[in-house]
Amino acid sequence: MTILAPPAPTPSVLVSRPRYEGANIRTWIGFKHFMYLVEEAVLKWLRDQGHGAHALFHRHGLGTEIIDCSVQLPAVLEVDDEVRAEVVAGTGKRLRVQMSVNRGGQDVVVLRGHVTVALLPETDGPVHRPAPAALATWEAPGLDAATGLRSELALPAGADPASVLMPAGSGAFLWSWRAPYFYCHFSDRVQHSGFVRALEEVVDRFLADRGISVGRMLAERAWIPVVSRARVRLAEPAHMEETVHTVFQVDDVLREMMFSGRMDCWVHRGDQLRLVASATILHGYAISRGPDAGQLARLDPEVCAILTGGRP
């Protein structure tokens, strides 16, 4: 008997517009909303294969979870742009996403990205059946098994997590927050987009802590942070209402134009801190008004020193 392989996944196209919420400076859209559009495009790809997130949960007891999303943003996205997001199957378990807009009769690429999705058994699922054959390689027994990004740090009894996560001289910034239900999926864990929000917020808090807040730099120099690359990966579940200890640190300043940073998110369990998510981001500053609006600003030595060395 001949066993037929499942049909190859078909490409999918989402036509949409960014949310008005993301237009915070002029009419430019922030990186978080690029990543929201990627998520919507991936969900549509699943529906177009005949296995949307609703069907996977109710027919198979599986939760659909983005566990890794990496994006490059070569051009700006404006609030009224109509975005065409194409999703195709990539290598292994990854999907490739490209987003473009039409400007002056020309298609302009505004995002290139890769996304990895996992299908996870959910306690609250009404049934529990194996994933559809076309998506079988995406099924995993748990989030940590799907990501392979396990990491832990010993926390001595009675020690403050800050003493472990912010060693002297590291230049790291720590922000701890309670995981709210509206950042969660399936009555349980913080979803990928929750950590995208955390990445945006921890950078904002880091800059304010260093004395170069977004508001100050906007008022004094007409500078606004702009992102050209970002990646957010899940590691283990961060459960609803756990405290997430989020560390951000600038790794380097590149050509006096961009700074690269890293976010790591930890939860305290027993005598350990467990990594639940990790992210990287490449930031610069765009000039927001005047004749040079939209161009990248050059980072002067004072700003570079603050970014890499601490408070002024």
Side-chain angles (χ1 to χ4, degrees):
M1 181 178 67
T2 301
I3 299 177
L4 298 178
T10 57
S12 179
V13 173
L14 171 74
V15 177
S16 187
R17 297 183 191 273
R19 289 286 194 166
Y20 193 36
E21 175 195 327
N24 307 124
I25 307 297
R26 294 172 61 108
T27 56
W28 298 321
I29 294 297
F31 84 95
K32 179 178 67 178
H33 286 264
F34 281 82
M35 298 185 84
Y36 284 178
L37 284 168
V38 169
E39 181 180 72
E40 292 301 319
V42 168
L43 291 173
K44 184 177 187 299
W45 182 89
L46 281 167
R47 289 192 293 270
D48 288 348
Q49 311 313 308
H51 309 293
H54 180 276
L56 287 166
F57 180 78
H58 287 281
R59 297 175 188 169
H60 300 269
L62 296 171
T64 303
E65 202 71 82
I66 291 176
I67 59 173
D68 188 357
C69 180
S70 175
V71 298
Q72 293 183 350
L73 311 176
V76 298
L77 183 59
E78 298 273 2
V79 66
D80 283 332
D81 279 337
E82 184 175 81
V83 178
R84 185 180 188 274
E86 182 176 8
V87 182
V88 299
T91 57
K93 301 177 183 180
R94 295 199 303 176
L95 299 172
R96 296 200 312 270
V97 183
Q98 180 168 294
M99 288 176 15
S100 59
V101 300
N102 188 280
R103 294 200 178 114
Q106 298 291 324
D107 286 338
V108 176
V109 175
V110 296
L111 178 145
R112 297 183 181 92
H114 293 91
V115 181
T116 304
V117 177
L119 302 179
L120 308 175
E122 300 298 340
T123 302
D124 288 345
V127 297
H128 291 89
R129 300 189 181 112
L135 303 176
T137 59
W138 288 10
E139 187 173 359
L143 183 59
D144 52 347
T147 64
L149 195 62
R150 179 169 177 168
S151 183
E152 60 271 335
L153 296 171
L155 184 66
D160 184 345
S163 65
V164 175
L165 298 174
M166 296 176 58
S170 67
F173 171 75
L174 174 64
W175 164 52
S176 299
W177 49 282
R178 173 182 173 272
Y181 81 91
F182 45 86
Y183 279 20
C184 294
H185 269 161
F186 305 106
S187 311
D188 179 20
R189 62 185 176 272
V190 178
Q191 58 187 280
H192 185 272
S193 65
F195 288 110
V196 174
R197 296 186 196 187
L199 177 59
E200 181 180 57
E201 184 161 354
V202 76
V203 172
D204 178 70
R205 289 174 175 268
F206 167 84
L207 295 173
D209 182 74
R210 298 310 191 246
I212 51 172
S213 72
V214 172
R216 177 184 173 188
M217 300 304 280
L218 184 60
E220 295 181 1
R221 304 195 186 196
W223 287 10
I224 182 67
V226 61
V227 174
S228 60
R229 188 166 68 232
R231 182 182 186 184
V232 178
R233 295 183 292 168
L234 305 190
E236 295 187 27
H239 300 293
M240 186 185 299
E241 300 185 355
E242 280 193 297
T243 298
V244 181
H245 303 290
T246 302
V247 180
F248 183 79
Q249 186 170 1
V250 170
D251 298 321
D252 198 7
V253 176
L254 309 174
R255 302 187 304 277
E256 299 181 339
M257 299 293 285
M258 309 290 289
F259 63 94
S260 60
R262 178 184 179 90
M263 176 186 81
D264 291 306
C265 297
W266 306 81
V267 296
H268 180 195
R269 294 178 185 148
D271 60 354
Q272 292 182 331
L273 292 165
R274 305 295 293 268
L275 183 71
V276 293
S278 184
T280 55
I281 193 165
L282 186 62
H283 252 293
Y285 281 94
I287 299 171
S288 68
R289 58 178 179 267
D292 295 327
Q295 297 184 26
L296 283 179
R298 183 169 294 276
L299 305 179
D300 56 67
E302 179 188 8
V303 171
C304 292
I306 291 171
L307 288 169
T308 57
R311 299 174 182 82

mmCIF file of all heavy atoms in Angstrom, residues 162-192:
data_model
loop_
_atom_site.group_PDB
_atom_site.id
_atom_site.type_symbol
_atom_site.label_atom_id
_atom_site.label_comp_id
_atom_site.label_asym_id
_atom_site.label_seq_id
_atom_site.Cartn_x
_atom_site.Cartn_y
_atom_site.Cartn_z
ATOM 1 N N ALA A 162 17.693 40.611 42.275
ATOM 2 C CA ALA A 162 18.518 41.660 41.684
ATOM 3 C C ALA A 162 20.002 41.400 41.891
ATOM 4 O O ALA A 162 20.826 41.749 41.036
ATOM 5 C CB ALA A 162 18.138 43.018 42.256
ATOM 6 N N SER A 163 20.349 40.775 43.013
ATOM 7 C CA SER A 163 21.767 40.526 43.286
ATOM 8 C C SER A 163 22.370 39.527 42.307
ATOM 9 O O SER A 163 23.579 39.535 42.066
ATOM 10 C CB SER A 163 21.939 40.014 44.718
ATOM 11 O OG SER A 163 21.320 38.743 44.880
ATOM 12 N N VAL A 164 21.540 38.662 41.760
ATOM 13 C CA VAL A 164 22.005 37.679 40.782
ATOM 14 C C VAL A 164 21.890 38.220 39.361
ATOM 15 O O VAL A 164 22.780 38.017 38.525
ATOM 16 C CB VAL A 164 21.200 36.364 40.917
ATOM 17 C CG1 VAL A 164 21.585 35.374 39.831
ATOM 18 C CG2 VAL A 164 21.402 35.766 42.298
ATOM 19 N N LEU A 165 20.805 38.933 39.077
ATOM 20 C CA LEU A 165 20.534 39.378 37.717
ATOM 21 C C LEU A 165 21.236 40.678 37.349
ATOM 22 O O LEU A 165 21.369 41.000 36.169
ATOM 23 C CB LEU A 165 19.023 39.543 37.521
ATOM 24 C CG LEU A 165 18.196 38.264 37.678
ATOM 25 C CD1 LEU A 165 16.705 38.581 37.613
ATOM 26 C CD2 LEU A 165 18.574 37.257 36.602
ATOM 27 N N MET A 166 21.675 41.451 38.366
ATOM 28 C CA MET A 166 22.356 42.723 38.114
ATOM 29 C C MET A 166 23.676 42.763 38.866
ATOM 30 O O MET A 166 23.844 43.538 39.811
ATOM 31 C CB MET A 166 21.476 43.900 38.545
ATOM 32 C CG MET A 166 20.192 44.071 37.779
ATOM 33 S SD MET A 166 19.203 45.420 38.489
ATOM 34 C CE MET A 166 20.325 46.797 38.353
ATOM 35 N N PRO A 167 24.629 41.940 38.503
ATOM 36 C CA PRO A 167 25.920 41.974 39.204
ATOM 37 C C PRO A 167 26.588 43.338 39.049
ATOM 38 O O PRO A 167 26.371 44.045 38.059
ATOM 39 C CB PRO A 167 26.729 40.866 38.515
ATOM 40 C CG PRO A 167 26.070 40.673 37.188
ATOM 41 C CD PRO A 167 24.626 40.967 37.399
ATOM 42 N N ALA A 168 27.392 43.704 40.030
ATOM 43 C CA ALA A 168 28.067 45.000 40.020
ATOM 44 C C ALA A 168 28.871 45.176 38.739
ATOM 45 O O ALA A 168 29.571 44.267 38.297
ATOM 46 C CB ALA A 168 28.975 45.114 41.242
ATOM 47 N N GLY A 169 28.736 46.363 38.147
ATOM 48 C CA GLY A 169 29.488 46.677 36.949
ATOM 49 C C GLY A 169 28.885 46.181 35.653
ATOM 50 O O GLY A 169 29.444 46.413 34.582
ATOM 51 N N SER A 170 27.745 45.517 35.727
ATOM 52 C CA SER A 170 27.152 44.946 34.509
ATOM 53 C C SER A 170 26.471 45.997 33.638
ATOM 54 O O SER A 170 26.300 45.798 32.437
ATOM 55 C CB SER A 170 26.130 43.867 34.876
ATOM 56 O OG SER A 170 25.004 44.440 35.533
ATOM 57 N N GLY A 171 26.038 47.106 34.247
ATOM 58 C CA GLY A 171 25.289 48.102 33.490
ATOM 59 C C GLY A 171 23.889 47.663 33.144
ATOM 60 O O GLY A 171 23.210 48.305 32.340
ATOM 61 N N ALA A 172 23.439 46.567 33.773
ATOM 62 C CA ALA A 172 22.109 46.028 33.465
ATOM 63 C C ALA A 172 21.020 46.821 34.183
ATOM 64 O O ALA A 172 21.256 47.457 35.215
ATOM 65 C CB ALA A 172 22.036 44.559 33.851
ATOM 66 N N PHE A 173 19.832 46.763 33.639
ATOM 67 C CA PHE A 173 18.648 47.398 34.221
ATOM 68 C C PHE A 173 17.618 46.306 34.485
ATOM 69 O O PHE A 173 17.388 45.434 33.634
ATOM 70 C CB PHE A 173 18.068 48.432 33.255
ATOM 71 C CG PHE A 173 16.732 48.980 33.683
ATOM 72 C CD1 PHE A 173 16.637 49.902 34.710
ATOM 73 C CD2 PHE A 173 15.568 48.561 33.046
ATOM 74 C CE1 PHE A 173 15.402 50.398 35.108
ATOM 75 C CE2 PHE A 173 14.332 49.059 33.432
ATOM 76 C CZ PHE A 173 14.255 49.983 34.464
ATOM 77 N N LEU A 174 16.981 46.348 35.653
ATOM 78 C CA LEU A 174 16.002 45.330 36.058
ATOM 79 C C LEU A 174 14.642 45.960 36.285
ATOM 80 O O LEU A 174 14.513 46.977 36.976
ATOM 81 C CB LEU A 174 16.471 44.629 37.337
ATOM 82 C CG LEU A 174 15.485 43.627 37.960
ATOM 83 C CD1 LEU A 174 15.246 42.446 37.028
ATOM 84 C CD2 LEU A 174 16.006 43.141 39.315
ATOM 85 N N TRP A 175 13.632 45.340 35.705
ATOM 86 C CA TRP A 175 12.239 45.736 35.903
ATOM 87 C C TRP A 175 11.436 44.467 36.157
ATOM 88 O O TRP A 175 11.474 43.527 35.374
ATOM 89 C CB TRP A 175 11.722 46.465 34.651
ATOM 90 C CG TRP A 175 10.234 46.595 34.558
ATOM 91 C CD1 TRP A 175 9.380 47.086 35.502
ATOM 92 C CD2 TRP A 175 9.414 46.230 33.427
ATOM 93 N NE1 TRP A 175 8.083 47.055 35.038
ATOM 94 C CE2 TRP A 175 8.075 46.542 33.774
ATOM 95 C CE3 TRP A 175 9.684 45.684 32.174
ATOM 96 C CZ2 TRP A 175 7.012 46.313 32.902
ATOM 97 C CZ3 TRP A 175 8.634 45.456 31.304
ATOM 98 C CH2 TRP A 175 7.302 45.778 31.672
ATOM 99 N N SER A 176 10.713 44.434 37.262
ATOM 100 C CA SER A 176 9.897 43.267 37.624
ATOM 101 C C SER A 176 8.426 43.617 37.479
ATOM 102 O O SER A 176 7.986 44.691 37.912
ATOM 103 C CB SER A 176 10.210 42.821 39.057
ATOM 104 O OG SER A 176 11.570 42.440 39.168
ATOM 105 N N TRP A 177 7.647 42.707 36.905
ATOM 106 C CA TRP A 177 6.238 42.963 36.652
ATOM 107 C C TRP A 177 5.424 41.685 36.838
ATOM 108 O O TRP A 177 5.923 40.584 36.689
ATOM 109 C CB TRP A 177 6.017 43.518 35.232
ATOM 110 C CG TRP A 177 6.683 42.762 34.133
ATOM 111 C CD1 TRP A 177 8.006 42.812 33.775
ATOM 112 C CD2 TRP A 177 6.070 41.820 33.213
ATOM 113 N NE1 TRP A 177 8.250 41.979 32.710
ATOM 114 C CE2 TRP A 177 7.093 41.364 32.340
ATOM 115 C CE3 TRP A 177 4.763 41.348 33.061
ATOM 116 C CZ2 TRP A 177 6.849 40.437 31.325
ATOM 117 C CZ3 TRP A 177 4.516 40.429 32.044
ATOM 118 C CH2 TRP A 177 5.552 39.989 31.192
ATOM 119 N N ARG A 178 4.175 41.867 37.203
ATOM 120 C CA ARG A 178 3.244 40.767 37.408
ATOM 121 C C ARG A 178 2.609 40.406 36.078
ATOM 122 O O ARG A 178 2.105 41.267 35.364
ATOM 123 C CB ARG A 178 2.177 41.189 38.415
ATOM 124 C CG ARG A 178 1.019 40.223 38.622
ATOM 125 C CD ARG A 178 0.053 40.848 39.633
ATOM 126 N NE ARG A 178 -1.179 40.084 39.792
ATOM 127 C CZ ARG A 178 -2.259 40.255 39.028
ATOM 128 N NH1 ARG A 178 -2.245 41.137 38.039
ATOM 129 N NH2 ARG A 178 -3.351 39.539 39.251
ATOM 130 N N ALA A 179 2.630 39.131 35.706
ATOM 131 C CA ALA A 179 2.085 38.687 34.425
ATOM 132 C C ALA A 179 0.554 38.731 34.472
ATOM 133 O O ALA A 179 -0.066 37.890 35.129
ATOM 134 C CB ALA A 179 2.561 37.272 34.114
ATOM 135 N N PRO A 180 -0.079 39.680 33.789
ATOM 136 C CA PRO A 180 -1.543 39.801 33.862
ATOM 137 C C PRO A 180 -2.232 38.800 32.943
ATOM 138 O O PRO A 180 -1.637 38.318 31.969
ATOM 139 C CB PRO A 180 -1.781 41.234 33.387
ATOM 140 C CG PRO A 180 -0.660 41.501 32.431
ATOM 141 C CD PRO A 180 0.530 40.735 32.954
ATOM 142 N N TYR A 181 -3.471 38.512 33.219
ATOM 143 C CA TYR A 181 -4.189 37.520 32.428
ATOM 144 C C TYR A 181 -4.299 37.949 30.970
ATOM 145 O O TYR A 181 -4.316 37.115 30.057
ATOM 146 C CB TYR A 181 -5.578 37.245 33.015
ATOM 147 C CG TYR A 181 -6.624 38.262 32.634
ATOM 148 C CD1 TYR A 181 -7.408 38.087 31.491
ATOM 149 C CD2 TYR A 181 -6.832 39.417 33.392
ATOM 150 C CE1 TYR A 181 -8.359 39.025 31.119
ATOM 151 C CE2 TYR A 181 -7.776 40.353 33.033
ATOM 152 C CZ TYR A 181 -8.541 40.156 31.901
ATOM 153 O OH TYR A 181 -9.473 41.093 31.529
ATOM 154 N N PHE A 182 -4.350 39.277 30.717
ATOM 155 C CA PHE A 182 -4.542 39.737 29.342
ATOM 156 C C PHE A 182 -3.246 39.705 28.527
ATOM 157 O O PHE A 182 -3.238 40.102 27.367
ATOM 158 C CB PHE A 182 -5.176 41.139 29.313
ATOM 159 C CG PHE A 182 -4.573 42.129 30.263
ATOM 160 C CD1 PHE A 182 -3.459 42.871 29.913
ATOM 161 C CD2 PHE A 182 -5.143 42.314 31.521
ATOM 162 C CE1 PHE A 182 -2.921 43.792 30.789
ATOM 163 C CE2 PHE A 182 -4.600 43.235 32.398
ATOM 164 C CZ PHE A 182 -3.483 43.978 32.035
ATOM 165 N N TYR A 183 -2.167 39.230 29.092
ATOM 166 C CA TYR A 183 -0.966 38.907 28.333
ATOM 167 C C TYR A 183 -0.874 37.405 28.058
ATOM 168 O O TYR A 183 0.098 36.953 27.446
ATOM 169 C CB TYR A 183 0.296 39.307 29.098
ATOM 170 C CG TYR A 183 0.692 40.765 29.026
ATOM 171 C CD1 TYR A 183 -0.214 41.760 28.678
ATOM 172 C CD2 TYR A 183 1.994 41.146 29.309
ATOM 173 C CE1 TYR A 183 0.163 43.086 28.628
ATOM 174 C CE2 TYR A 183 2.387 42.478 29.255
ATOM 175 C CZ TYR A 183 1.472 43.448 28.919
ATOM 176 O OH TYR A 183 1.855 44.759 28.870
ATOM 177 N N CYS A 184 -1.863 36.632 28.522
ATOM 178 C CA CYS A 184 -1.745 35.171 28.543
ATOM 179 C C CYS A 184 -2.576 34.493 27.455
ATOM 180 O O CYS A 184 -3.491 35.092 26.880
ATOM 181 C CB CYS A 184 -2.162 34.628 29.916
ATOM 182 S SG CYS A 184 -1.043 35.127 31.248
ATOM 183 N N HIS A 185 -2.241 33.239 27.210
ATOM 184 C CA HIS A 185 -3.000 32.343 26.346
ATOM 185 C C HIS A 185 -3.491 31.144 27.156
ATOM 186 O O HIS A 185 -2.797 30.678 28.070
ATOM 187 C CB HIS A 185 -2.109 31.785 25.216
ATOM 188 C CG HIS A 185 -2.115 32.612 23.979
ATOM 189 N ND1 HIS A 185 -1.130 32.530 23.019
ATOM 190 C CD2 HIS A 185 -2.997 33.526 23.512
ATOM 191 C CE1 HIS A 185 -1.391 33.363 22.034
ATOM 192 N NE2 HIS A 185 -2.518 33.971 22.304
ATOM 193 N N PHE A 186 -4.680 30.649 26.816
ATOM 194 C CA PHE A 186 -5.186 29.372 27.306
ATOM 195 C C PHE A 186 -5.194 29.296 28.841
ATOM 196 O O PHE A 186 -4.840 28.278 29.428
ATOM 197 C CB PHE A 186 -4.398 28.214 26.689
ATOM 198 C CG PHE A 186 -4.407 28.262 25.188
ATOM 199 C CD1 PHE A 186 -3.283 28.647 24.478
ATOM 200 C CD2 PHE A 186 -5.572 27.976 24.482
ATOM 201 C CE1 PHE A 186 -3.307 28.737 23.092
ATOM 202 C CE2 PHE A 186 -5.607 28.060 23.092
ATOM 203 C CZ PHE A 186 -4.470 28.441 22.396
ATOM 204 N N SER A 187 -5.583 30.416 29.459
ATOM 205 C CA SER A 187 -5.780 30.480 30.915
ATOM 206 C C SER A 187 -4.518 30.145 31.686
ATOM 207 O O SER A 187 -4.584 29.729 32.844
ATOM 208 C CB SER A 187 -6.900 29.509 31.348
ATOM 209 O OG SER A 187 -8.046 29.660 30.548
ATOM 210 N N ASP A 188 -3.345 30.329 31.061
ATOM 211 C CA ASP A 188 -2.145 29.789 31.701
ATOM 212 C C ASP A 188 -0.925 30.678 31.564
ATOM 213 O O ASP A 188 -0.460 31.264 32.531
ATOM 214 C CB ASP A 188 -1.858 28.398 31.119
ATOM 215 C CG ASP A 188 -0.609 27.754 31.702
ATOM 216 O OD1 ASP A 188 -0.184 28.166 32.792
ATOM 217 O OD2 ASP A 188 -0.057 26.839 31.067
ATOM 218 N N ARG A 189 -0.368 30.807 30.349
ATOM 219 C CA ARG A 189 0.991 31.326 30.195
ATOM 220 C C ARG A 189 1.024 32.606 29.357
ATOM 221 O O ARG A 189 0.158 32.847 28.514
ATOM 222 C CB ARG A 189 1.881 30.266 29.530
ATOM 223 C CG ARG A 189 1.428 29.877 28.146
ATOM 224 C CD ARG A 189 2.224 28.735 27.528
ATOM 225 N NE ARG A 189 1.639 28.387 26.234
ATOM 226 C CZ ARG A 189 0.659 27.515 26.086
ATOM 227 N NH1 ARG A 189 0.153 26.894 27.139
ATOM 228 N NH2 ARG A 189 0.167 27.259 24.899
ATOM 229 N N VAL A 190 2.072 33.386 29.605
ATOM 230 C CA VAL A 190 2.276 34.608 28.844
ATOM 231 C C VAL A 190 2.579 34.248 27.394
ATOM 232 O O VAL A 190 3.445 33.425 27.108
ATOM 233 C CB VAL A 190 3.427 35.438 29.433
ATOM 234 C CG1 VAL A 190 3.666 36.703 28.595
ATOM 235 C CG2 VAL A 190 3.130 35.822 30.882
ATOM 236 N N GLN A 191 1.843 34.861 26.489
ATOM 237 C CA GLN A 191 2.009 34.593 25.063
ATOM 238 C C GLN A 191 3.176 35.406 24.487
ATOM 239 O O GLN A 191 3.695 36.329 25.126
ATOM 240 C CB GLN A 191 0.724 34.917 24.320
ATOM 241 C CG GLN A 191 0.264 36.354 24.482
ATOM 242 C CD GLN A 191 -1.103 36.595 23.882
ATOM 243 O OE1 GLN A 191 -1.227 36.755 22.669
ATOM 244 N NE2 GLN A 191 -2.124 36.630 24.717
ATOM 245 N N HIS A 192 3.550 35.067 23.268
ATOM 246 C CA HIS A 192 4.684 35.722 22.625
ATOM 247 C C HIS A 192 4.508 37.235 22.577
ATOM 248 O O HIS A 192 5.436 37.999 22.887
ATOM 249 C CB HIS A 192 4.872 35.150 21.206
ATOM 250 C CG HIS A 192 6.071 35.670 20.494
ATOM 251 N ND1 HIS A 192 6.052 36.822 19.744
ATOM 252 C CD2 HIS A 192 7.351 35.195 20.422
ATOM 253 C CE1 HIS A 192 7.249 37.044 19.233
ATOM 254 N NE2 HIS A 192 8.055 36.069 19.633
#
